[in-house]
């Protein structure tokens, strides 16, 4: 790579990591405390539900479509394989930040956890955050999908890495998604807008995981089929982990 190409590559990696971190921090605040009420569009109940649904569906559709194998194949005609995931990371972060900033709160309460039980819900939230941190630590250089670019920058071999199971992946195939589900449903005050988000996000995570699994079976092959037979997808029901 030329010096100019290296500078561009490092700038892309920096943009990925900053946008990923900023969007995740903002999103975790949103999951913990509900709508941040940054922008008030003064919508009635029906309009704000429709607007919030639109925000969520745009983010979910973008996330699912750009990760799909057929979409990556089409995108490769315009964007190098090394930078496709970086494009996905930055655009997803932008849409997630937009969702949090524009999300409209509802005043219609559906369910509210009593004071004593609230601490249990909050405990599950922080346990979920801990699992997310463990999962990201296990991913190491793959965090924010910077691995393909960094491998190229370092002049290392870009051959496919062997399939290795480590960390929380020994109990569950998608620990980050499981932690996300726990953090989503651990909010103790269920308003109409929060119920909307929780349901849409749950459906998206389950469907998106199944689509992602199809691509992983196609990319990895038999090792992943064996792994899938031994380890649950989203609900960890085995006490003992499989061998790493």
């Amino acid at each position: 790579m030329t010096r100019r190409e290296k500078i561009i590559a490092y700038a892309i990696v920096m943009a990925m990591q900053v946008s990923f971190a900023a969007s995740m921090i903002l999103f975790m605040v949103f999951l913990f405390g509900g709508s941040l009420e940054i922008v008030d569009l003064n919508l009635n109940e029906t309009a704000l539900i429709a607007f919030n649904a639109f925000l969520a569906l745009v983010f979910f559709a973008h996330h699912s479509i750009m990760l799909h194998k057929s979409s990556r194949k089409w995108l490769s005609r315009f964007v190098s394989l090394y930078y496709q995931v970086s494009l996905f990371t930055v655009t997803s972060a932008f849409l997630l930040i937009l969702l949090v900033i524009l999300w409209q709160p509802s005043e219609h309460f559906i369910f509210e956890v009593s004071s004593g039980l609230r601490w249990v819900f909050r405990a599950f939230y922080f346990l979920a955050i801990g699992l997310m941190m463990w999962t990201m630590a296990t991913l190491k250089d793959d965090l924010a999908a910077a691995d393909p670019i960094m491998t190229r920058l370092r002049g290392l071999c870009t051959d496919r890495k062997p399939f290795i199971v480590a960390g929380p992946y020994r109990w569950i195939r998608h620990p980050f998604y499981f932690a996300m589900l726990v953090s989503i449903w651990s909010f103790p005050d269920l308003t109409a807008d929060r119920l909307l988000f929780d349901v849409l996000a749950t459906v998206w995570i389950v469907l998106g995981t199944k689509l992602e699994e199809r691509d992983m079976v196609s990319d990895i092959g038999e090792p992943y089929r064996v792994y899938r037979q031994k380890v649950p997808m989203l609900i960890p029901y085995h006490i003992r982990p499989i061998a790493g």
Side-chain angles (χ1 to χ4, degrees), residues 57-125:
L57 291 174
V58 167
F59 172 74
F60 297 153
H62 168 271
H63 197 280
S64 299
I65 291 172
M66 285 200 69
L67 278 183
H68 199 268
K69 191 173 183 179
S70 59
S71 299
R72 299 199 305 267
K73 183 177 180 181
W74 175 83
L75 192 60
S76 64
R77 295 185 294 178
F78 311 100
V79 181
S80 168
L81 291 173
Y82 293 107
Y83 301 110
Q84 280 188 22
V85 184
S86 62
L87 176 64
F88 160 77
T89 301
V90 173
T91 53
S92 289
F94 171 77
L95 289 176
L96 184 56
I97 291 172
L98 201 63
L99 182 149
V100 173
I101 290 175
L102 295 180
W103 191 266
Q104 302 298 295
S106 169
E107 296 181 356
H108 178 58
F109 270 82
I110 298 173
F111 181 77
E112 187 174 1
V113 176
S114 60
S115 57
L117 197 56
R118 295 177 74 87
W119 293 103
V120 176
F121 276 71
R122 291 310 193 186
F124 274 110
Y125 174 84

Side-chain angles (χ1 to χ4, degrees), residues 110-244:
I110 298 173
F111 181 77
E112 187 174 1
V113 176
S114 60
S115 57
L117 197 56
R118 295 177 74 87
W119 293 103
V120 176
F121 276 71
R122 291 310 193 186
F124 274 110
Y125 174 84
F126 287 109
L127 286 173
I129 296 299
L131 178 56
M132 289 182 195
M133 298 298 290
W134 186 18
T135 303
M136 290 189 289
T138 302
L139 292 175
K140 295 179 181 177
D141 287 344
D142 251 351
L143 183 60
D147 192 43
I149 300 176
M150 295 307 298
T151 299
R152 190 183 184 201
L153 280 169
R154 294 164 182 164
L156 302 177
C157 178
T158 57
D159 293 341
R160 186 187 303 276
K161 294 181 179 180
F163 178 63
I164 300 174
V165 179
Y169 290 91
R170 294 180 296 162
W171 282 273
I172 182 172
R173 300 201 300 272
H174 300 275
F176 194 90
Y177 294 158
F178 169 69
M180 188 66 70
L181 286 172
V182 174
S183 65
I184 286 170
W185 287 101
S186 63
F187 189 62
D189 301 321
L190 196 62
T191 56
D193 69 290
R194 183 60 185 237
L195 178 61
L196 170 73
F197 178 82
D198 291 356
V199 171
L200 290 178
T202 300
V203 172
W204 164 64
I205 288 174
V206 173
L207 293 180
T209 302
K210 289 184 177 295
L211 291 174
E212 185 177 322
E213 289 251 310
R214 291 197 313 184
D215 288 344
M216 295 181 78
V217 169
S218 176
D219 292 340
I220 300 173
E222 188 60 24
Y224 195 82
R225 292 190 183 92
V226 174
Y227 172 63
R228 191 167 62 170
Q229 292 173 354
K230 295 180 179 180
V231 178
M233 183 175 76
L234 278 174
I235 307 298
Y237 50 79
H238 292 310
I239 298 176
R240 299 181 63 180
I242 67 167

Side-chain angles (χ1 to χ4, degrees), residues 9-27 86 89-94 96-97 136 143-146:
Y10 276 116
I12 291 174
V13 170
M14 181 64 69
M16 288 169 56
Q17 293 176 337
V18 170
S19 61
F20 176 80
S23 63
M24 286 305 299
I25 291 172
L26 198 61
F27 186 53
S86 62
T89 301
V90 173
T91 53
S92 289
F94 171 77
L96 184 56
I97 291 172
M136 290 189 289
L143 183 60

Side-chain angles (χ1 to χ4, degrees), residues 21-66:
S23 63
M24 286 305 299
I25 291 172
L26 198 61
F27 186 53
M28 289 301 103
V29 172
F30 170 78
L31 291 182
F32 182 82
S35 173
L36 304 185
E37 301 184 39
I38 297 175
V39 177
D40 184 4
L41 298 179
N42 196 28
L43 302 174
N44 61 42
E45 191 72 15
T46 302
L48 73 84
I49 291 298
F51 180 74
N52 288 338
F54 172 76
L55 288 175
L57 291 174
V58 167
F59 172 74
F60 297 153
H62 168 271
H63 197 280
S64 299
I65 291 172
M66 285 200 69

